[in-house]
Amino acid sequence: MGRRPQIDRAAVIDAAMQFADESGLEAVTMHAVAQRLGVTPMALYRHVDGKQALLDGMVERLLTGYPLPPADAPWPGRLTAMAEATRSTAKQHPAVFPLLLTRPAATPAARTVRDYVQAALREAVLGFAASEAAGRFRHHAQAVIDEDFAVLLRWLRLAVSPGATPDVVLDEP
Amino acid sequence: MGRRPQIDRAAVIDAAMQFADESGLEAVTMHAVAQRLGVTPMALYRHVDGKQALLDGMVERLLTGYPLPPADAPWPGRLTAMAEATRSTAKQHPAVFPLLLTRPAATPAARTVRDYVQAALREAVLGFAASEAAGRFRHHAQAVIDEDFAVLLRWLRLAVSPGATPDVVLDEP
DNA sequence: ACCTGAACACCGTTCAAGT
DNA sequence: ACCTGAACACCGTTCAAGT
């Protein structure tokens, strides 16, 4: 008499992600996800706390897929790592990606990552301000400055245009 | 035999905005808006092109409410004006405000304003970079620099945290 | 413990019809 | 031209019931 659930929380979120990438985010429906799992809609409620919780689970899955440098690493490295993680995520789940911009603080994991990026951006801007005020930039090679600003600019653009396609945002010079 | 429509596009959008502020954005429903206007849901379709178009109309209403400095004005003034317009909008329609971050390029008017902000931000960052590279900051009073960065930082924070309450974003130091 | 069946109130949208 | 009535397929979610 094995009770084999065969439909745990991870499977539900998996199915939702796949379905979203196939048919679009707005097609992710309790009925549709259930059908894809060969199960009744009501069966999902045992494993996720309703549709909001399902979407939150998808966001968490998106955010926790990649390791990030420690918070006290230099900000260009942190932003670059986030950019790479973001690009990978966008490539793997292009349709789910917009959720990141719509529900950024829905879960503790999401909040942690958002604060991580926010802290890096703030450091970047304040760092530039402090550096130029002290005239320290003359000690840097111009190429390094340009590179740092390229990273910063990409994030600004991503932050400013939530509706933009990730690839466009990340790939443009 | 006056045909007095008594329910034009503006009235539909008005009702939707009011209802959103009273009952939340997710309560804005074709049925609900129609009921508030004392009319059948299907009557709305003569004046707005479905629900998406209704939401787009609300975004446009939000964005076109305030005049902005010309595009060739100095960027701090442009960002400050946008900040003031945004704050007023957020105060008047707090529940509708998130639409701005969700559907930023839905209509031509929305696209124009987004490009306006994006250009100002880009100019701000590039301007700082160019200035420090040339060592020109020594000619500025530190107070002016601080003020410029305060404006820029607010916009960065707003851009980075779409889910944050506007008042918190705009009022915090 | 896990899933089903039947049902509920609601949603956006259509069509044909009234005036 | 503008609005209504009845209806459609669908949505999230509940409840009681099966095993």
Side-chain angles (χ1 to χ4, degrees):
Chain A
M1 306 156 192
R3 281 288 155 270
R4 55 195 167 80
Q6 201 62 341
I7 213 187
D8 58 359
R9 179 182 149 89
V12 172
I13 295 177
D14 273 350
M17 303 269 286
Q18 284 182 301
F19 194 72
D21 285 330
E22 281 176 27
S23 309
L25 198 50
E26 76 292 341
V28 174
T29 256
M30 298 301 271
H31 286 74
V33 172
Q35 188 177 12
R36 160 176 280 260
L37 289 168
V39 115
T40 320
M42 303 66 95
L44 304 183
Y45 283 78
R46 187 82 32 185
H47 303 105
V48 293
D49 234 49
K51 203 201 178 181
Q52 296 300 306
L54 211 201
L55 296 177
D56 293 345
M58 294 167 76
V59 169
E60 225 179 270
R61 178 77 117 261
L62 239 35
L63 287 173
T64 58
Y66 293 87
L68 295 173
D72 57 354
W75 68 260
R78 276 185 287 157
L79 287 183
T80 300
M82 265 308 301
E84 280 162 6
T86 302
R87 162 176 274 151
S88 295
T89 298
K91 280 234 164 74
Q92 282 183 19
H93 302 288
V96 188
F97 187 85
L99 267 189
L100 283 177
L101 304 154
T102 292
R103 320 173 56 80
T107 74
R111 243 173 284 135
T112 297
V113 176
R114 190 200 63 177
D115 290 348
Y116 180 92
V117 175
Q118 201 159 334
L121 276 177
R122 173 179 219 124
E123 252 177 67
V125 173
L126 289 178
F128 273 112
S131 294
E132 58 73 15
R136 279 205 284 110
F137 265 124
R138 278 162 302 180
H139 301 266
H140 286 66
Q142 186 62 37
V144 173
I145 296 176
D146 287 348
E147 199 179 322
D148 284 358
F149 262 114
V151 173
L152 182 53
L153 266 187
R154 279 184 200 177
W155 274 97
L156 284 181
R157 229 179 310 164
L158 177 61
V160 166
S161 31
T165 302
D167 277 335
V168 171
V169 170
L170 293 173
D171 286 342
E172 269 182 7
Chain B
M1 304 158 189
R3 283 288 156 268
R4 57 194 166 77
Q6 201 62 339
I7 211 183
D8 58 358
R9 180 182 148 89
V12 172
I13 296 177
D14 273 350
M17 303 268 286
Q18 283 182 303
F19 194 72
D21 285 330
E22 282 175 26
S23 309
L25 199 50
E26 77 291 341
V28 175
T29 257
M30 297 300 271
H31 285 73
V33 172
Q35 189 176 14
R36 159 175 283 261
L37 288 167
V39 117
T40 320
M42 303 66 94
L44 304 182
Y45 283 78
R46 187 83 30 183
H47 303 104
V48 293
D49 235 50
K51 202 201 179 179
Q52 297 300 308
L54 212 200
L55 296 176
D56 293 346
M58 293 167 76
V59 169
E60 227 180 87
R61 178 77 117 260
L62 240 36
L63 288 173
T64 57
Y66 294 87
L68 295 174
D72 58 354
W75 68 260
R78 276 185 287 155
L79 288 183
T80 300
M82 265 308 301
E84 281 162 5
T86 302
R87 162 176 276 154
S88 294
T89 299
K91 279 232 166 75
Q92 281 183 19
H93 302 288
V96 187
F97 188 85
L99 267 188
L100 283 177
L101 305 153
T102 292
R103 319 172 58 77
T107 74
R111 241 174 286 134
T112 298
V113 175
R114 192 201 62 179
D115 291 347
Y116 181 92
V117 174
Q118 203 159 334
L121 276 177
R122 173 180 219 123
E123 252 178 66
V125 172
L126 289 178
F128 273 112
S131 294
E132 58 73 13
R136 278 205 286 111
F137 264 125
R138 277 162 303 179
H139 301 266
H140 286 66
Q142 186 62 37
V144 173
I145 296 176
D146 288 349
E147 197 181 323
D148 284 359
F149 261 115
V151 172
L152 182 54
L153 267 186
R154 280 183 199 177
W155 275 95
L156 286 181
R157 230 181 306 165
L158 177 61
V160 165
S161 29
T165 302
D167 277 334
V168 172
V169 169
L170 294 173
D171 286 343
E172 269 180 8

